[in-house]
Amino acid sequence: MATIGLDNLFYAPITVSGDGDFETYGTPIRLAKAITVDLAIDILEATLFADDGPDIVVKEWGGGNLTINVNDIGDLVAQDLTGATIDGNGVLVSTSEDGGDPVAVGFRAKKGGSDTYRYFWLYKVKFATPSTSLQTKGDTITFQTPTIVGTLMRRNRPDARGQHPWKVEATESPAIDPTIIKGWYTSVYEPDI
């Protein structure tokens, strides 16, 4: 499905129950203006050979990485995503011990040739401190924008089938209840299985 564009990049804090089993999601917060999102999935694969050929092939989701390039990462967002702290003078302080809590990440992409969108929520992403790349001005102006990389994880909370979702996506269509799309950024979508 071809898409053009990317916008409405949000994150939602995750609270984990006392026993660490179940995630609940806070109210989504605007992360920044999105430039690019790259979702790279790791597939674990094993092949059992028997009688001179493949007998059993197993392919399973093995996590992945989410790389987000944005116009800016504000101090409050950096604090939420990376575990950095804002001191009493309003200065963002990063330490070697930083490690933010996982968050849910949502965004949408416009479908090519239509006025409809494809919506996403990634249920659990743990981000690292973003690297910084700066460049002096020369004959031309080149924008330098931050990129932050997160590791994708599955939810601890199983769905009604006993499986652990890591992503949901919905494409605007007559098959999707319009209230689901309308409320996509007011709360993290929960599967109805």
Side-chain angles (χ1 to χ4, degrees), residues 70-91:
V70 294
N71 68 325
D72 189 24
I73 297 176
D75 291 349
L76 292 173
V77 173
Q79 180 176 262
D80 285 350
L81 298 186
T82 69
T85 56
I86 300 173
D87 74 6
N89 295 315
V91 175

Side-chain angles (χ1 to χ4, degrees), residues 73-168:
I73 297 176
D75 291 349
L76 292 173
V77 173
Q79 180 176 262
D80 285 350
L81 298 186
T82 69
T85 56
I86 300 173
D87 74 6
N89 295 315
V91 175
L92 184 68
V93 179
S94 297
T95 68
S96 60
E97 292 80 14
D98 287 348
D101 293 325
V103 295
V105 176
F107 50 91
R108 72 178 187 173
K110 188 173 184 179
K111 289 178 54 181
S114 75
D115 290 330
T116 60
Y117 288 86
R118 189 171 167 197
Y119 293 80
F120 299 84
W121 272 112
L122 306 173
Y123 280 128
K124 197 172 182 182
V125 182
K126 184 163 177 74
F127 285 100
T129 301
S131 44
T132 303
S133 176
L134 305 171
Q135 177 181 333
T136 191
K137 291 190 293 184
D139 292 339
T140 62
I141 297 173
T142 304
F143 289 103
Q144 305 298 314
T145 56
T147 298
I148 187 164
V149 178
T151 301
L152 298 171
M153 299 180 282
R154 68 177 200 172
R155 297 196 321 177
N156 292 335
R157 181 187 346 179
D159 63 16
R161 300 171 298 168
Q163 298 182 359
H164 301 271
W166 65 274
K167 173 182 84 163
V168 289

Side-chain angles (χ1 to χ4, degrees), residues 49-65:
F49 289 88
D51 285 342
D52 294 333
D55 185 45
I56 299 172
V57 176
V58 176
K59 294 185 181 206
E60 292 185 1
W61 182 79
N65 288 314

Side-chain angles (χ1 to χ4, degrees), residues 1-16:
M1 169 180 333
T3 58
I4 55 171
L6 169 69
D7 67 1
N8 286 349
L9 182 59
F10 282 76
Y11 72 97
I14 297 174
T15 304
V16 180

